[in-house]
Amino acid sequence: MGKVGAGGGSPAGLSALLAGAGLLVLCAPGSCGGGSCCPPRHPSAAPRWAPTPGGLPHQGPRGRAPAEPLPQLGRPLFAVAPGDRALSLERAPGTGAPVAVAPRSGRKRRSGEDLEKAERGEGTSRSPRGVLRDRGQQEPGTPERDPDKATRFRLEELKLTSTTFALTGDSAHNQAMVHWSGHNSSVILILTKLYDYNLGSITESSLWRSTDYGTTYEKLNDKVGLKTILSYLYVCPTNKRKIMLLTDPEIESSLLISSDEGATYQKYRLNFYIQSLLFHPKQEDWILAYSQDQKLYSSAEFGRRWQLIQEAVVPNRFYWSVMGSNKEPDLIHLEARTVDGHSQYLTCRMQNCTEANRNKPFPGYIDPDSLIVQDDYVFVQLTSGGRPHYYVSYRRNAFAQMKLPKYALPKDMHVISTDENQVFAAVQEWNQNDTYNLYISDTRGVYFTLALENVQSSRGPEGNVMIDLYEVAGIKGMFLANKKTDNQVKTFITYNKGRDWRLLQAPDTDLRGDPVHCLLPYCSLHLHLKVSENPYTSGIIASRDTAPSIIVASGNIGSELSDSDISMFVSSDAGNTWRQIFEEEHSVLYLDQGGVLVAMKHTSLPIRHLWLSFDEGRSWSKYSFTSIPLFVDGVLGEPGEETLIMTVFGHFSHRSEWQLVKVDYKSIFDRRCAEEDYRPWQLHSQGEACIMGAKRIYKKRKSERKCMQGKYAGAMESEPCVCTEADFDCDYGYERHSNGQCLPAFWFNPSSLSKDCSLGQSYLNSTGYRKVVSNNCTDGVREQYTAKPQKCPGKAPRGLRIVTADGKLTAEQGHNVTLMVQLEEGDVQRTLIQVDFGDGIAVSYVNLSSMEDGIKHVYHNVGIFRVTVQVDNSLGSDSAVLYLHVTCPLEHVHLSLPFVTTKNKEVNATAVLWPSQVGTLTYVWWYGNNTEPLITLEGSIAFKFTSEGMNTITVQVSAGNAILQDTKTIAVYEEFRSLRLSFSPNLDDYNPDIPEWRRDVSRVIKKALVEATGVPAQHILVAVLPGLPTAAELFVLPHQDPTGENKRSAEDLEQISELLIHKLNQNSVHFELKPGVQVLVHAAHLTAAPLVDLTPTHSGSAMLMLLSVVFVGLAVFVIYKFKRKYFHSC
């Protein structure tokens, strides 16, 4: 299961960067290499749930304070001409908001003349359908344009108050991290770095500090150490005065800590290398550090001292306790790997995380990289039977399996949001590939109902799943989603958490007031819903809590979403109507809590102007923010409520230092706003004023007033509405039909909801409806649609099942196996349960609740056990059976069979196992030229070969999840001679009795026989046998020519045999095992049959080397029956 963020997931969007983030990262394209700009993210900063193994721009868990090294992309963010220094921008860790990058789209370069024309409003422009036409030219047959509906641009150039500062000496630096301390603070910190792509490391760094809102900066390299190379900058989210700098670990592993907003620093050495940090959401000095060797450390002194918490922690799977859900503020949730590679969910206290003090909230193992702790919920995934199963714990209670519609059959699930005591999840079902279905849960996160089908998905720059879903800031229950329908992607909007969706109505007129002919549902407005934490990037959408009616996005008008003909649109009435504001992509930022919109054009050329709107995008005024055109790399706004100071980062030329332009917007306001400067505005959806069960009236500043909003922004009145059917969604197991009614799905039995209650108790009997979570409506049909308490009916046990906790039918000897008893219906509190494990042990329970964690049992013998369970109550009984295979691990398989055999003679092959008793096994035999295997339950088979030649025999032994095999080669011919060989005793001193040694010595013996007798090597085969004393079998084989005819007769083999025996008896055969060690070869006693290797103490692969009798250069094995004094018949 993965945790992703929707394309828009963060309600703060771009404006969060200006509102209070105060930290960004600038990295030249491709500067990820080596990890200096792209270390792993912590899921609370960029949530992703995957195993995984294992993020998306979605708001992280509330109250959490991630602080990991800032990730960046490892490739250029957008296409630029050679020499351009294009920089990406990214949010900082430790802000409680996401870290993400949205790439700029490639854009056609325009000449300086074209640029000036565009800024003056001259030249050509695009119609909403992408048709180029001259400004002022009207399409034939269209009504007159309405100048009152056109977006107005004031081309008179005004000037903003600004100052520019150059980071002198850092022109070669290609990475930067910038932090603005916070509200009422004038301190800005900038860390610049030079990343050397050839060396793969940081070679230089500089630290700059401003105390006057960015007017001037002081270089602090001497205060941190002139030779110190810094890699990352961290800021405490609960106390912005506390700063932490991390040195480059390739040179030294140290922390530099400041408690005065970066004015002074203290250095502390580390004995581990930090990969990511996680600050506590409340305690400013508490930090978790994850090391590069997968160990988790904690500090209660803001990094001055550290202690080891846990080893083998899964990357990004550690969390602080969530306030309100955990009683202990120092509780840590983590996923750790066991020595055998399994993952488990652990909790422990920060200062006392010993083995004895660790808890395991989820019984058994979980899927790797699946733990998520977010708000009141904990999620884990467990795969069994080839299907993933998802479990949730609400407010740290017992885990329950998450219930999707029965035949959803999810391939993948991602948790998008856990806001307002409800889980929003994206599920990829069995028949989906590039889309996901959106599901929304009840309060406990257990029962899920469908909110929207086929939402478009894509892969992010790091392979993470991106869902095209955006939660609009400031308006509860409002989402935008891109849905794929009939192979077209269209944008839909909902105001009630997914109960109802509709297309976006396109603007009535275009930028100049010309009418736009766009008829629903064939034509509508479509938006790009991917959030970028860099305000100066394309494809953006933005909204803000303090400006709940204003949404700014890029998109197009037509039958489907397109990546071409992108324009900028704004809605000032929460998505009901839209206006086109620019025909080219701009970054639109929020000032003064949304009272002023700032637009900066996307271009690879230098610019010196921006546009301001005081009336929610209806008219724009042109302002210059610098006297010299600037290549813009990024923008950072003053944290706090007002956001009246903005810093623009860029460079004047491709090789110049970074320029920091401080823009102060205070001068554009006349005064502070008073009550009379506001007008009321009522939230609505196509005229319907009741949204999420309430009528909400907001205060908006009058468009003609240029006053500063201050604390009055966002004031609101709310009045509950009378409940109607529109305030209720279908309950779990019910589906909405064309008449609007919620009726049971074909797979759902409504009476099953009462299965967990007992006679005399009560349960909530669903009406088929449930009120949308966070809906505030009252009275009306609420009583009619709300679930009713009902007495639990007395029921006989029915639908009894017994399964293992992991869904397998195997268990390991000597280890705990957990059995789960499941009952579909019955009085669970007054039921007698009897379990017989089949090994002579039985237990009884008085109710099912005492068995919620499963029944653990240890089998001490291998075999197949019949596990039975009997359930009885006063109304009836039920029983179930499980046949459990108990095994012990199979370690080695050795195939035993002769080296050679005669044609048409029965041969026995035996699979020898270690250990010998492992439980139920299946044997798969492959021999000869058979294309189909022989499958048996016995470890021996007999067979004949009807033709001469070399034959390979393979046996595969299946034991549980393990399959081992061994392969041997056997020669089949009419005649051969064999003789047992012995050796001088000194050979035993050097015999380790392993297959490799026997193979090498066999080759040496054969070589000695050939040299002593002159017999061709093709006629000799030597196989050293296992065991001590050392012995070997000598085979004399007839050689074949390429036509298959024997060159040697039986008489020839007899002559060769006599020659070999003669030389052996004369002690003429010997070899040197090592310098000074001579070994004599003798003829031993006669053998009665070809020898077989029966040694079971070696692995299958080792046995293959041990007894393979086909050596390089060996011709053939031939078997022959004859009698002689020394040689014998076989």
Side-chain angles (χ1 to χ4, degrees):
M1 177 152 63
K3 180 187 190 182
V4 303
S10 170
L14 299 176
S15 59
L17 188 61
L18 292 174
L23 183 53
L24 58 83
V25 176
L26 298 169
C27 284
S31 61
C32 173
S36 61
C37 248
C38 59
R41 304 178 176 186
H42 192 276
S44 60
R48 58 182 174 186
W49 200 358
T52 120
L56 225 153
H58 157 64
Q59 180 116 15
R62 297 191 177 208
R64 306 277 312 285
E68 83 285 2
L70 298 175
Q72 284 287 349
L73 302 184
R75 56 179 181 270
L77 293 183
F78 53 94
V80 294
D84 279 1
R85 184 171 66 183
L87 300 182
S88 68
L89 178 150
E90 193 159 343
R91 286 285 300 282
T95 62
V99 180
V101 171
R104 296 185 190 179
S105 60
R107 290 180 294 277
K108 180 179 177 182
R109 281 188 170 272
R110 304 176 68 190
S111 67
E113 182 181 356
D114 290 338
L115 185 64
E116 289 302 317
K117 286 184 178 181
E119 290 192 350
R120 293 195 306 267
E122 301 174 3
T124 60
S125 65
R126 294 174 298 171
S127 70
R129 300 174 187 269
V131 179
L132 288 173
R133 63 182 184 227
D134 292 334
R135 292 189 184 273
Q137 178 183 355
Q138 185 173 331
E139 294 182 0
T142 60
E144 294 292 329
R145 66 171 56 94
D146 186 351
D148 292 334
K149 293 187 177 181
T151 301
R152 298 183 297 277
F153 291 89
R154 180 181 176 182
L155 298 180
E156 175 190 355
E157 181 177 316
L158 304 174
K159 187 175 181 179
L160 292 168
T161 302
S162 65
T163 59
T164 302
F165 187 88
L167 300 184
T168 306
D170 289 353
S171 60
H173 290 194
N174 51 14
Q175 299 176 359
M177 304 176 73
V178 188
H179 165 69
W180 199 322
S181 285
H183 184 50
N184 295 327
S185 174
S186 60
V187 175
I188 301 176
L189 289 173
I190 301 178
L191 171 62
T192 65
K193 300 173 287 183
L194 171 60
Y195 182 83
D196 191 307
Y197 299 99
N198 295 322
L199 298 177
S201 62
I202 301 170
T203 57
E204 293 180 16
S205 68
S206 296
L207 183 65
W208 300 82
R209 184 173 186 262
S210 171
T211 58
D212 52 10
Y213 293 95
T215 303
T216 60
Y217 289 83
E218 176 189 4
K219 200 169 188 177
L220 301 182
N221 286 23
D222 56 337
K223 294 188 178 181
V224 298
L226 292 176
K227 295 184 178 180
T228 299
I229 297 180
L230 304 174
S231 57
Y232 295 106
L233 168 67
Y234 301 89
V235 183
C236 175
T238 53
N239 183 352
K240 299 296 180 65
R241 295 180 58 84
K242 291 189 173 183
I243 309 295
M244 184 180 293
L245 297 170
L246 181 62
T247 61
D248 185 2
E250 294 192 10
I251 299 176
E252 63 172 326
S253 183
S254 300
L255 286 176
L256 287 93
I257 297 174
S258 172
S259 298
D260 52 10
E261 292 187 284
T264 60
Y265 293 89
Q266 293 177 303
K267 180 180 282 191
Y268 296 87
R269 297 280 183 180
L270 297 173
N271 58 2
F272 62 96
Y273 297 108
I274 292 178
Q275 181 168 309
S276 61
L277 295 179
L278 186 67
F279 287 110
H280 193 276
K282 297 293 183 182
Q283 301 291 332
E284 62 185 53
D285 290 333
W286 292 4
I287 309 174
L288 295 178
Y290 186 74
S291 68
Q292 295 181 4
D293 56 355
Q294 298 190 341
K295 296 178 181 178
L296 187 64
Y297 296 83
S298 69
S299 174
E301 303 175 53
F302 200 72
R304 293 173 177 85
R305 291 184 181 86
W306 297 90
Q307 70 177 38
L308 179 64
I309 292 290
Q310 172 73 32
E311 297 183 357
V313 175
V314 177
N316 301 331
R317 301 300 166 191
F318 51 92
Y319 307 85
W320 282 112
S321 62
V322 177
M323 298 297 99
S325 295
N326 295 109
K327 296 179 181 179
E328 306 89 357
D330 62 342
L331 189 70
I332 299 169
H333 304 259
L334 59 92
E335 179 183 332
R337 290 194 178 97
T338 62
V339 292
D340 53 359
H342 293 100
S343 287
Q344 56 185 356
Y345 167 31
L346 305 176
T347 60
C348 64
R349 307 286 291 273
M350 177 176 67
Q351 301 293 338
N352 190 16
C353 198
T354 62
E355 181 69 30
N357 292 291
R358 294 179 191 137
N359 294 317
K360 299 178 181 179
F362 185 83
Y365 299 126
I366 63 176
D367 284 356
D369 203 27
S370 70
L371 173 67
I372 288 295
V373 181
Q374 183 167 316
D375 296 326
D376 286 335
Y377 302 90
V378 179
F379 304 93
V380 297
Q381 175 180 318
L382 179 63
T383 298
S384 62
R387 293 181 182 177
H389 301 280
Y390 308 102
Y391 294 84
V392 61
S393 168
Y394 177 61
R395 293 187 175 175
R396 310 305 180 258
N397 292 314
F399 278 88
Q401 187 170 348
M402 299 164 66
K403 302 290 187 181
L404 293 167
K406 186 174 182 178
Y407 295 107
L409 303 179
K411 296 188 297 185
D412 190 24
M413 176 186 285
H414 299 276
V415 171
I416 293 177
S417 170
T418 54
D419 295 340
E420 299 176 339
N421 294 320
Q422 190 173 40
V423 180
F424 220 143
V427 177
Q428 189 170 64
E429 301 186 11
W430 64 274
N431 57 350
Q432 294 178 304
N433 293 315
D434 59 350
T435 61
Y436 281 73
N437 289 348
L438 295 180
Y439 284 89
I440 196 162
S441 78
D442 61 351
T443 300
R444 295 191 303 131
V446 174
Y447 293 100
F448 285 77
T449 56
L450 183 65
L452 184 64
E453 291 183 296
N454 295 320
V455 177
Q456 181 70 9
S457 72
S458 60
R459 289 285 173 178
E462 295 178 351
N464 50 305
V465 176
M466 308 283 290
I467 307 295
D468 273 13
L469 177 72
Y470 180 79
E471 183 176 5
V472 178
I475 300 179
K476 183 171 56 177
M478 183 175 174
F479 290 85
L480 291 160
N482 284 330
K483 176 181 177 179
K484 191 172 185 179
T485 175
D486 297 329
N487 290 321
Q488 292 183 320
V489 178
K490 302 174 183 285
T491 301
F492 289 78
I493 190 170
T494 180
Y495 292 85
N496 51 11
K497 278 197 171 180
R499 185 201 181 281
D500 302 293
W501 296 84
R502 62 172 175 82
L503 293 167
L504 296 180
Q505 177 65 59
D508 295 332
T509 60
D510 64 9
L511 195 64
R512 292 161 301 282
D514 294 330
V516 173
H517 301 287
C518 186
L519 181 64
L520 290 173
Y522 311 104
C523 174
S524 59
L525 174 64
H526 310 285
L527 305 177
H528 293 276
L529 302 181
K530 293 191 172 56
V531 168
S532 169
E533 300 312 322
N534 181 350
Y536 197 67
T537 52
S538 62
I540 61 168
I541 182 169
S543 58
R544 189 168 177 179
D545 286 323
T546 55
S549 64
I550 302 176
I551 309 170
V552 181
S554 63
N556 64 280
I557 298 172
S559 60
E560 63 179 325
L561 182 66
S562 172
D563 289 326
S564 60
D565 295 333
I566 297 177
S567 298
M568 299 300 300
F569 299 89
V570 65
S571 174
S572 57
D573 57 3
N576 285 281
T577 61
W578 295 81
R579 294 187 304 278
Q580 185 182 16
I581 53 175
F582 296 103
E583 287 184 325
E584 292 180 296
E585 289 185 271
H586 284 65
S587 295
V588 180
L589 314 176
Y590 291 75
L591 290 181
D592 188 31
Q593 305 198 61
V596 178
L597 299 179
V598 180
M600 190 175 294
K601 186 178 181 180
H602 284 165
T603 176
S604 56
L605 295 175
I607 60 174
R608 53 186 292 268
H609 302 108
L610 50 77
W611 297 89
L612 294 182
S613 175
F614 290 84
D615 54 6
E616 301 173 339
R618 293 178 178 84
S619 62
W620 296 84
S621 298
K622 184 177 181 181
Y623 285 81
S624 65
F625 66 92
T626 176
S627 57
I628 303 175
L630 183 75
F631 291 95
V632 177
D633 302 321
V635 181
L636 180 66
E638 173 193 12
E641 295 180 356
E642 296 176 351
T643 312
L644 298 176
I645 297 177
M646 184 174 71
T647 301
V648 181
F649 302 85
H651 51 284
F652 291 140
S653 68
H654 302 314
R655 299 186 180 277
S656 69
E657 291 90 355
W658 277 347
Q659 306 292 326
L660 280 64
V661 181
K662 171 191 170 184
V663 183
D664 193 337
Y665 292 93
K666 292 187 179 70
S667 61
I668 66 174
F669 298 101
D670 301 331
R671 53 183 172 80
R672 287 264 181 186
C673 292
E675 186 68 28
E676 59 271 14
D677 295 311
Y678 292 89
R679 63 178 178 85
W681 173 79
Q682 184 169 53
L683 173 66
H684 66 94
S685 170
Q686 300 297 295
E688 173 55 56
C690 286
I691 304 293
M692 292 292 288
K695 296 179 180 179
R696 294 178 175 86
I697 297 178
Y698 295 81
K699 290 185 177 180
K700 281 191 174 187
R701 192 188 61 192
K702 297 176 181 178
S703 59
E704 67 274 13
R705 308 293 174 88
K706 289 190 177 182
C707 56
M708 189 185 306
Q709 293 198 99
K711 64 180 181 180
Y712 289 103
M716 182 186 69
E717 299 176 5
S718 179
E719 175 187 347
C721 296
V722 174
C723 291
T724 66
E725 189 269 343
D727 296 305
F728 290 81
D729 207 346
C730 291
D731 204 351
Y732 174 77
Y734 291 80
E735 296 174 337
R736 191 176 301 279
H737 288 244
S738 57
N739 60 1
Q741 288 186 325
C742 294
L743 301 176
F746 75 93
W747 50 265
F748 182 66
N749 179 12
S751 65
S752 63
L753 295 177
S754 65
K755 70 177 183 178
D756 293 330
C757 70
S758 300
L759 190 63
Q761 296 180 339
S762 298
Y763 75 100
L764 291 177
N765 186 20
S766 175
T767 63
Y769 300 84
R770 71 183 185 196
K771 195 165 92 168
V772 175
V773 174
S774 301
N775 187 292
N776 296 321
C777 73
T778 60
D779 302 327
V781 299
R782 184 177 65 171
E783 182 67 22
Q784 176 186 345
Y785 284 179
T786 300
K788 306 295 189 299
Q790 185 169 322
K791 292 292 184 180
C792 295
K795 293 184 179 181
R798 188 180 70 83
L800 180 66
R801 294 179 63 222
I802 181 168
V803 296
T804 59
D806 58 6
K808 299 178 181 177
L809 297 177
T810 60
E812 192 172 326
Q813 178 189 9
H815 290 70
N816 265 321
V817 57
T818 302
L819 300 172
M820 311 296 294
V821 176
Q822 301 171 350
L823 186 63
E824 186 174 327
E825 285 187 3
D827 188 349
V828 297
Q829 296 298 326
R830 303 183 183 183
T831 300
L832 176 65
I833 303 100
Q834 301 178 64
V835 181
D836 187 336
F837 297 105
D839 60 351
I841 300 176
V843 295
S844 297
Y845 298 88
V846 294
N847 58 65
L848 278 177
S849 60
S850 60
M851 304 164 57
E852 288 180 351
D853 295 333
I855 308 169
K856 296 187 184 299
H857 185 65
V858 177
Y859 287 90
H860 299 286
N861 298 305
V862 299
I864 304 176
F865 295 88
R866 185 175 187 268
V867 185
T868 60
V869 58
Q870 176 83 20
V871 177
D872 299 274
N873 66 15
S874 59
L875 298 175
S877 64
D878 199 2
S879 61
V881 177
L882 171 69
Y883 295 98
L884 186 66
H885 294 243
V886 178
T887 64
C888 68
L890 178 62
E891 298 180 18
H892 305 296
V893 174
H894 164 58
L895 178 58
S896 172
L897 76 164
F899 298 112
V900 292
T901 189
T902 38
K903 178 181 174 182
N904 293 320
K905 180 181 179 180
E906 191 171 81
V907 177
N908 291 317
T910 302
V912 183
L913 310 179
W914 181 263
S916 59
Q917 298 296 322
V918 294
T920 307
L921 301 173
T922 302
Y923 299 84
V924 182
W925 304 88
W926 304 81
Y927 61 91
N929 295 321
N930 294 347
T931 57
E932 295 294 332
L934 174 66
I935 301 175
T936 69
L937 298 178
E938 299 294 333
S940 298
I941 62 170
F943 50 89
K944 295 179 181 180
F945 292 102
T946 59
S947 60
E948 297 181 345
M950 301 300 301
N951 291 274
T952 298
I953 301 176
T954 298
V955 62
Q956 295 178 325
V957 183
S958 175
N961 293 327
I963 297 180
L964 277 70
Q965 79 172 32
D966 192 15
T967 299
K968 293 292 186 296
T969 303
I970 185 171
V972 181
Y973 283 101
E974 288 286 350
E975 55 184 349
F976 71 93
R977 305 289 193 275
S978 68
L979 175 69
R980 179 68 64 87
L981 302 178
S982 62
F983 306 92
S984 53
N986 60 344
L987 182 59
D988 292 344
D989 297 334
Y990 301 95
N991 184 353
D993 198 21
I994 62 174
E996 296 91 336
W997 186 88
R998 290 193 288 270
R999 180 188 61 195
D1000 291 337
V1001 171
S1002 296
R1003 186 178 66 252
V1004 173
I1005 297 170
K1006 177 180 176 179
K1007 181 180 179 182
L1009 287 166
V1010 171
E1011 291 176 351
T1013 63
V1015 175
Q1018 296 91 333
H1019 291 288
I1020 296 176
L1021 168 65
V1022 177
V1024 175
L1025 305 176
L1028 294 172
T1030 308
E1033 189 79 4
L1034 168 63
F1035 297 93
V1036 180
L1037 309 172
H1039 177 58
Q1040 282 187 326
D1041 61 18
T1043 64
E1045 298 181 357
N1046 290 340
K1047 287 186 176 181
R1048 299 281 184 173
S1049 64
E1051 291 78 10
D1052 295 329
L1053 293 181
E1054 189 171 349
Q1055 291 177 5
I1056 294 173
S1057 301
E1058 289 177 349
L1059 177 60
L1060 288 168
I1061 292 171
H1062 177 70
K1063 292 294 184 180
L1064 289 168
N1065 289 339
Q1066 290 183 339
N1067 294 330
S1068 299
V1069 182
H1070 54 82
F1071 61 90
E1072 186 178 52
L1073 185 67
K1074 60 185 299 185
V1077 179
Q1078 287 287 333
V1079 179
L1080 286 175
V1081 185
H1082 307 285
H1085 59 80
L1086 299 178
T1087 58
L1091 297 181
V1092 177
D1093 181 7
L1094 295 174
T1095 305
T1097 58
H1098 305 280
S1099 68
S1101 59
M1103 290 298 102
L1104 176 60
M1105 293 185 287
L1106 163 66
L1107 295 178
S1108 291
V1109 294
V1110 181
F1111 298 95
V1112 177
L1114 178 64
V1116 291
F1117 295 87
V1118 181
I1119 301 176
Y1120 177 67
K1121 298 181 180 179
F1122 71 103
K1123 294 183 179 179
R1124 188 171 171 76
K1125 182 178 180 181
Y1126 295 102
F1127 287 82
H1128 62 277
S1129 298
C1130 297

